[in-house]
Amino acid sequence: MPPEQQYLHTVAVAHIRQCFRRIQQQTGQAGKDIAAYFFYLVDDFFAAGNAALTRQDFAAFATANADQYPNCTLLNAIWDGGCTLYDGEAAIEPVSDNWLDNQSELYQAAYRRAANAEDDDAYRQQRAEYEAVLISALQQCDREGLFGLRNENGILLFAFYMDDYDGNDEHSLLYRSATQLNPPDTYHRLIGTP
């Protein structure tokens, strides 16, 4: 891995560790179990956020919205906006008049790389590398045991475009992350069966 990508990977791993522990604390205090931990991206991929959804909140959402979503999926619950999500980001105290200095280290690292892209092809390459880094960082944190025994607790890991940038089809970040990070049927559990 080239040094810039390695730095981004290191920052992503540290970010995931910090954010997931914050989410565990929030959900634990509420007496809830995490069903999924995910990154959500938009067209400006460096502005990625992360969150979790609990089993209890998902079940309550699915029951309350059974008419609208008869076969409710986790993505239905996330996209709807009516399901409680636990955000892993900490509020950052402004340290500067420069808005970038007031962002997370992961945001800063990814933004600086994207800002240096010379053209659209280079920007797309930066996006692809960032997506690969997020998946790799989640894999590393999983190997380290951050998410517990996932064979037992069933926590799903994935990343996707909240604005449906890549269609969430079988060429998408959602598909790649879901299939690389989870059991084989996870992708269809997230999007529903066709």
Side-chain angles (χ1 to χ4, degrees), residues 8 15 39-50 89 99-100 103-117 123 126-128 130-131 134 161:
L8 190 58
H15 187 80
F39 273 88
Y40 53 95
L41 289 71
V42 292
D43 189 16
D44 294 332
F45 63 90
F46 46 81
N50 68 94
E89 300 288 337
W99 67 272
L100 185 58
Q103 306 303 315
S104 72
E105 189 175 359
L106 179 59
Y107 183 103
Q108 289 180 41
Y111 176 85
R112 287 189 176 108
R113 289 193 75 209
N116 291 329
Y123 189 82
Q126 294 290 340
R127 176 190 306 278
Y130 187 71
E131 292 171 1
L134 283 183
Y161 282 91

Side-chain angles (χ1 to χ4, degrees), residues 129-158:
E129 289 174 4
Y130 187 71
E131 292 171 1
V133 162
L134 283 183
I135 293 170
S136 175
L138 286 164
Q139 286 172 324
Q140 179 177 334
C141 289
D142 191 23
R143 282 191 306 271
E144 293 172 356
L146 179 66
F147 308 113
L149 300 173
R150 290 198 314 125
N151 287 340
E152 294 173 17
N153 67 28
I155 293 175
L156 301 179
L157 304 175
F158 57 96

Side-chain angles (χ1 to χ4, degrees), residues 153-185:
N153 67 28
I155 293 175
L156 301 179
L157 304 175
F158 57 96
F160 73 110
Y161 282 91
M162 184 69 94
D163 58 2
D164 205 21
Y165 164 82
D166 61 1
N168 291 317
D169 61 14
E170 292 194 3
H171 302 285
S172 69
L173 173 60
L174 176 63
Y175 180 81
R176 284 180 279 122
S177 65
T179 56
Q180 290 178 43
L181 296 165
N182 302 287
D185 65 338

